[in-house]
Amino acid sequence: MIRVCLSYVHQTKSPLKMQAWMNGRLALSRKSSRFELPIDMLLLETMTPLQYLNRYCVVTSRRQMLYDKIFNKHKNIYSGKLGFQDLQKALSDVLIQSIDDEKMKMVIQMLQIEEDVQVEKRLFYGISAFTERLLYPMFVRGNQNNNENQKERIECADFYALKWKFHGVNVNSSIKALLDVL
């Protein structure tokens, strides 16, 4: 009986039905990811924005599942990575088509993403989480800034007195801009 049901489910799956869970707008949240700072702040002097996101972005398991589905949908079947065009399509899917060309360019410029980029899954998590965080104020109404949408306390503590933590460190300007957004 179970085999018959599973067989029927597998036969009736179509791409259109598989995407039904994404018909609404994504609920942006500051709690879906956490950004950290390295213990040795000198690392930020030579780090690129993509390296930072790859190392210091922690994504919740629930959001990872969403990012995973989208990454697997768009990745190159041979390399298992996302190229530049596929990355843009995947980010558009993450935000359920609510990111326009202007905002996409802003993300690409801030993160210094080159056209020959090859993005692995972990980096895609970081780029997606950063994009959500960047666009959060644009999509959330002012009265929704309640406790549910606040950053994790550990992140707030990490980023507290950021200017003081930068004292004596020649932080790369692109990293400084990225951290200011977070």
Side-chain angles (χ1 to χ4, degrees), residues 43-59:
L43 292 173
L44 298 176
E45 290 184 347
T46 57
M47 192 174 286
T48 68
L50 293 180
Q51 289 170 332
Y52 171 81
L53 292 176
N54 199 38
R55 283 191 194 156
Y56 299 104
C57 177
V58 179
V59 178

Side-chain angles (χ1 to χ4, degrees), residues 15-170:
L16 188 59
K17 290 179 184 176
M18 297 273 294
Q19 290 183 1
W21 60 275
M22 291 184 63
N23 285 339
R25 185 139 153 220
L26 177 68
L28 296 179
S29 170
R30 290 182 175 159
K31 287 193 173 190
S32 64
S33 60
R34 184 179 79 242
F35 296 89
E36 301 173 337
L37 292 173
I39 292 172
D40 182 2
M41 295 293 281
L42 292 174
L43 292 173
L44 298 176
E45 290 184 347
T46 57
M47 192 174 286
T48 68
L50 293 180
Q51 289 170 332
Y52 171 81
L53 292 176
N54 199 38
R55 283 191 194 156
Y56 299 104
C57 177
V58 179
V59 178
T60 63
S61 58
R62 190 173 197 174
R63 200 55 125 220
Q64 257 185 18
M65 286 176 27
L66 170 69
Y67 294 162
D68 237 8
K69 287 181 182 185
I70 293 171
F71 180 86
N72 289 331
K73 173 184 171 187
H74 291 282
K75 72 181 178 183
N76 180 294
I77 58 172
Y78 301 109
S79 70
K81 299 176 183 177
L82 295 175
F84 186 76
Q85 296 295 329
D86 294 327
L87 174 62
Q88 290 182 343
K89 291 174 189 173
L91 284 176
S92 186
D93 275 3
V94 165
L95 296 166
I96 309 179
Q97 317 313 326
S98 63
I99 184 170
D100 60 24
D101 289 341
E102 183 181 323
K103 290 181 186 92
M104 185 70 76
K105 285 179 187 173
M106 181 174 59
V107 169
I108 290 167
Q109 287 174 343
M110 283 195 78
L111 298 181
Q112 299 175 341
I113 299 173
E114 302 290 330
E115 288 196 26
D116 64 345
V117 72
Q118 291 294 305
V119 177
E120 294 181 355
K121 189 182 294 189
R122 172 118 172 83
L123 179 56
F124 178 67
Y125 293 166
I127 293 171
S128 299
F130 171 77
T131 304
E132 280 193 57
R133 185 69 66 90
L134 177 68
L135 300 180
Y136 178 85
M138 297 175 198
F139 291 109
V140 176
R141 294 185 199 112
N143 63 352
Q144 289 181 332
N145 239 355
N146 58 25
N147 192 33
E148 287 294 314
N149 290 318
Q150 296 300 314
K151 298 176 192 174
E152 294 287 338
R153 287 184 183 188
I154 193 166
E155 181 179 345
C156 291
D158 217 10
F159 280 76
Y160 181 75
L162 194 57
K163 288 183 183 177
W164 175 79
K165 291 178 181 181
F166 286 162
H167 185 72
V169 181
N170 187 18

